[in-house]
Amino acid sequence: MNMKDGNEKLTLIIGGTGFAGGALARTLLSNGKPVRVMVRPGSNTAELRTHGAQLVEGDITHAADVLAAVEGCSLIYNFASPFRSAKPTDEYFRAVNVGGVRNIVDAVKQHHVPRFVHCSTIGVHGDVKEIPCRENSPYNPGDIYQETKLEAENFLQDEIALGLPAVIMRPSSMYGPGDTRMLKLFRNIHNGRWRTVGDGSAWFHPCYIDDLVDGFMLCGNHKEALGEVFLLPGAEAVRLRDLVTAVAKSMNVAPPARSLPLTPIMIAAKACEFICRPLGIEPPLHERRVRFFTNNRNFDGSKARRILSFTPKVPLKDGLRRTAQWYFDNGFIKAR
């Protein structure tokens, strides 16, 4: 089949019902670009339909589904990834994060697609040992999600060396209207229940979603992007304690003054995972959640700035304010 629309270049987004892929899809569609989104059966596609996306059902772990979705496309973005919880098995993480990328590469080769942009993660660097971290800084994955993302990157790098027209991007922690991953942080600060674990000195480096979409599009269109790996960090890195204060200010509440000791909380988190994960139960406390308070995330965006002219424009205080307002407007946080 050939589902390409006229002579206009068709972009396929895999993982387009998620926060990042959905934001890119809406932007491209609002700019009049034809977009196809591969969605899993049962996905919530109402918003994509409203914006005029072409939808095709499929599973990234099924080669035939990927091959059909890729046909007729000139640009492929992959944002697919399992949700980071205790429920997916290690095998499923590998099937999606590695096997899915292999399926896309095979389809790109068969259909001679001019460009494939893969969204990896800053997590391949884990708790960064070089501050600020650069694209060639040491890898330090800390869990199965990050390990399989790195495995996929290594595979792609080998394929790129053989001529695959691909780009690898590592966005820093994304946030903004439409995202609920930072909701717990905002909500608990707003209701006075937030407790920082440890001293809050770890670095955190967020990037507002509108800035990231600009970076995604540059990776998809800039002639010098092919074959490269790019970190896409936000305008500024902050200490975690300063992030908490800034979030409180965005909602006009007092910043939390109390904290919790790190060591007993980490022991409790490891015990919860040890007990819950074999049972497929979501543990009330993750080691990964505790490492939010300890892992350093501070990144150098000079390569993307030099090659792509990627320059984040949204200051942290403005992005946090817009995000907080979206939470209020949509009832996720009740105004006092």
Side-chain angles (χ1 to χ4, degrees):
M1 62 179 174
N2 191 329
M3 297 182 284
K4 192 170 180 179
D5 296 335
N7 295 319
E8 183 72 45
K9 291 183 178 180
L10 179 61
T11 297
L12 171 67
I13 299 177
I14 301 173
T17 57
F19 178 51
L24 175 62
R26 291 190 298 273
T27 300
L28 292 175
L29 289 164
S30 67
N31 290 338
K33 305 297 183 182
V35 174
R36 179 185 300 163
V37 181
M38 190 173 86
V39 299
R40 288 177 298 173
S43 298
N44 184 353
T45 60
E47 188 173 13
L48 289 170
R49 290 182 186 277
T50 298
H51 284 83
Q54 181 187 117
L55 303 177
V56 56
E57 288 192 346
D59 189 319
I60 193 174
T61 65
H62 298 159
D65 290 351
V66 177
L67 189 65
V70 166
E71 183 180 0
C73 295
S74 300
L75 174 60
I76 315 297
Y77 283 95
N78 176 38
F79 292 97
S81 188
F83 181 70
R84 293 173 71 181
S85 70
K87 292 183 179 179
T89 63
D90 289 2
E91 291 74 19
Y92 186 67
F93 273 108
R94 183 159 282 106
V96 174
N97 288 348
V98 182
V101 171
R102 289 180 178 272
N103 288 339
I104 296 171
V105 168
D106 288 344
V108 166
K109 290 178 178 178
Q110 290 192 51
H111 289 302
H112 306 287
V113 179
R115 185 172 303 208
F116 166 38
V117 180
H118 174 63
C119 185
S120 185
T121 173
I122 54 171
V124 298
H125 297 288
D127 180 12
V128 302
K129 303 305 180 186
E130 182 178 48
I131 296 177
C133 177
R134 298 172 176 82
E135 284 82 0
N136 59 357
S137 291
Y139 296 129
N140 187 30
D143 58 30
I144 187 63
Y145 171 83
Q146 295 170 353
E147 290 167 5
T148 51
K149 281 290 193 177
L150 178 57
E151 188 175 337
E153 275 204 31
N154 289 335
F155 165 70
L156 271 179
Q157 291 280 24
D158 290 342
E159 291 293 323
I160 287 170
L162 296 173
L164 184 77
V167 183
I168 298 171
M169 52 191 190
R170 300 173 189 153
S172 65
S173 300
M174 56 188 77
Y175 76 104
D179 175 46
T180 56
R181 283 170 295 184
M182 290 184 72
L183 174 59
K184 184 176 289 187
L185 170 68
F186 279 75
R187 181 184 284 157
N188 286 340
I189 290 173
H190 185 262
N191 63 24
R193 296 177 183 173
W194 178 263
R195 298 292 182 269
T196 296
V197 178
D199 64 4
S201 63
W203 286 102
F204 187 75
H205 204 158
C207 190
Y208 191 69
I209 187 61
D210 291 2
D211 287 331
L212 277 177
V213 168
D214 288 344
F216 299 157
M217 292 192 295
L218 286 167
C219 287
N221 296 310
H222 200 290
K223 64 179 181 180
E224 308 250 345
L226 277 176
E228 298 289 348
V229 178
F230 295 103
L231 287 167
L232 300 175
E236 53 193 302
V238 294
R239 299 286 187 179
L240 185 57
R241 55 177 172 257
D242 297 324
L243 173 70
V244 170
T245 298
V247 169
K249 287 183 178 178
S250 76
M251 298 182 290
N252 296 315
V253 298
R258 299 173 64 185
S259 62
L260 297 172
L262 173 62
T263 300
I265 299 298
M266 180 61 80
I267 292 172
K270 290 182 177 181
C272 282
E273 288 200 70
F274 180 79
I275 294 169
C276 295
R277 189 169 186 186
L279 301 174
I281 300 172
E282 187 68 20
L285 185 61
H286 285 283
E287 182 178 352
R288 173 175 57 82
R289 289 178 184 167
V290 180
R291 295 207 180 280
F292 171 79
F293 298 96
T294 64
N295 285 2
N296 281 301
R297 290 140 292 185
N298 187 321
F299 301 92
D300 182 351
S302 61
K303 180 179 178 181
R305 185 167 58 250
R306 184 181 72 253
I307 296 177
L308 305 178
S309 298
F310 172 65
T311 306
K313 301 176 180 64
V314 181
L316 180 63
K317 65 177 182 178
D318 291 344
L320 294 176
R321 177 179 49 78
R322 296 177 197 175
T323 304
Q325 190 61 55
W326 187 82
Y327 288 150
F328 287 126
D329 290 345
N330 288 273
F332 288 107
I333 300 176
K334 303 298 181 182
R336 292 180 179 178

